[in-house]
């Protein structure tokens, strides 16, 4: 980690909080930090070390949000995030990414929004609440779909709830 991306060490929560509070943290939101953080978290949790994925998922959520915003600026004909308010929009996206990361770990979209609102972000608006909530719900649906597909063998389109007496199968259109 020290050789590839030194900013990927630790949980990353305090560094992301510093970034959202307006401090300049060099090389915090780079792609190599994302790749190193994801690989390190998978290796650490997969090997059974007594470290949880909660802290790194805050940093990973922020990094994914920055990567998505970077890709959006490269789309032809799309110049909404290149003006003078770009830094403000990027901070909002980082906050929404943090919310999505917490939602993915704890299976709690509202908990992700509340964590981002109370603990991480210094500036909050109603618009940011909806951005964070939508990102949290999308992250939750994505993680649930992946878990059902790769752990249970079910299709992406079916949610199966196992009960005491019978199994209840819901389609995504029922939600």
């Amino acid at each position: 980690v020290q050789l590839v991306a030194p900013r990927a060490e630790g949980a990353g929560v305090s560094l992301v909080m510093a970034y959202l509070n307006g401090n300049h943290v060099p090389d915090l939101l780079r792609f190599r930090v994302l790749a190193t953080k994801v690989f390190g978290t998978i290796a650490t949790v997969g090997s059974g070390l007594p470290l949880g994925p909660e802290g790194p998922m805050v940093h990973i959520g922020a990094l994914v949000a920055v990567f998505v915003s970077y890709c959006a600026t490269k789309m032809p004909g799309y110049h909404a995030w290149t003006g003078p308010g770009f830094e403000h929009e990027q901070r909002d996206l980082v906050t929404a990414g943090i919310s999505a990361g917490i939602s993915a770990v704890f299976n709690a979209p509202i908990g992700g929004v509340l964590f981002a609102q109370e603990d991480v972000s210094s500036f909050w608006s109603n618009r940011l609440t909806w951005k964070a909530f939508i990102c949290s719900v999308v992250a939750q649906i994505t993680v649930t779909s992946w878990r059902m597909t790769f752990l249970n063998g079910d299709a992406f389109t079916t949610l199966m709830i196992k009960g005491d007496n019978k199994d209840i199968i819901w389609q995504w259109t029922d939600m």
Side-chain angles (χ1 to χ4, degrees):
V1 172
Q2 286 295 326
L3 297 175
V4 178
R7 290 293 180 202
E9 68 180 3
V13 178
S14 59
L15 293 174
V16 173
M17 287 173 61
Y19 170 77
L20 288 176
N21 287 327
N23 297 320
H24 176 68
V25 183
D27 295 333
L28 177 67
L29 303 172
R30 300 277 185 235
F31 183 75
R32 71 173 181 262
V33 175
L34 173 64
T36 306
K37 183 72 86 168
V38 168
F39 177 74
T41 303
I42 290 171
T44 302
V45 173
S47 66
L49 291 174
L51 300 171
E54 295 85 7
M57 283 301 286
V58 170
H59 196 183
I60 290 170
L63 289 164
V64 168
V66 168
F67 183 68
V68 167
S69 71
Y70 175 77
C71 291
T73 59
K74 300 300 179 189
M75 289 174 31
Y78 192 77
H79 303 288
W81 289 343
T82 56
F86 173 68
E87 187 173 335
H88 174 70
E89 284 294 323
Q90 188 172 17
R91 289 184 195 278
D92 284 356
L93 285 172
V94 166
T95 304
I98 290 168
S99 175
I102 291 295
S103 171
V105 170
F106 291 112
N107 299 327
I110 295 174
V113 173
L114 291 176
F115 175 79
Q117 183 179 12
E118 293 176 359
D119 294 339
V120 178
S121 185
S122 296
F123 306 102
W124 198 265
S125 66
N126 289 338
R127 196 170 144 215
L128 181 56
T129 303
W130 285 107
K131 285 180 185 178
F133 182 70
I134 289 169
C135 287
S136 294
V137 168
V138 168
Q140 184 59 45
I141 289 172
T142 304
V143 168
T144 302
S145 299
W146 278 70
R147 284 181 182 157
M148 288 187 320
T149 300
F150 295 113
L151 296 179
N152 295 339
D154 297 334
F156 273 110
T157 59
T158 305
L159 175 65
M160 185 173 192
I161 300 174
K162 298 197 181 265
D164 293 336
N165 298 333
K166 61 182 178 176
D167 293 341
I168 302 169
I169 298 177
W170 290 352
Q171 299 294 327
W172 287 110
T173 55
D174 295 337
M175 293 184 194

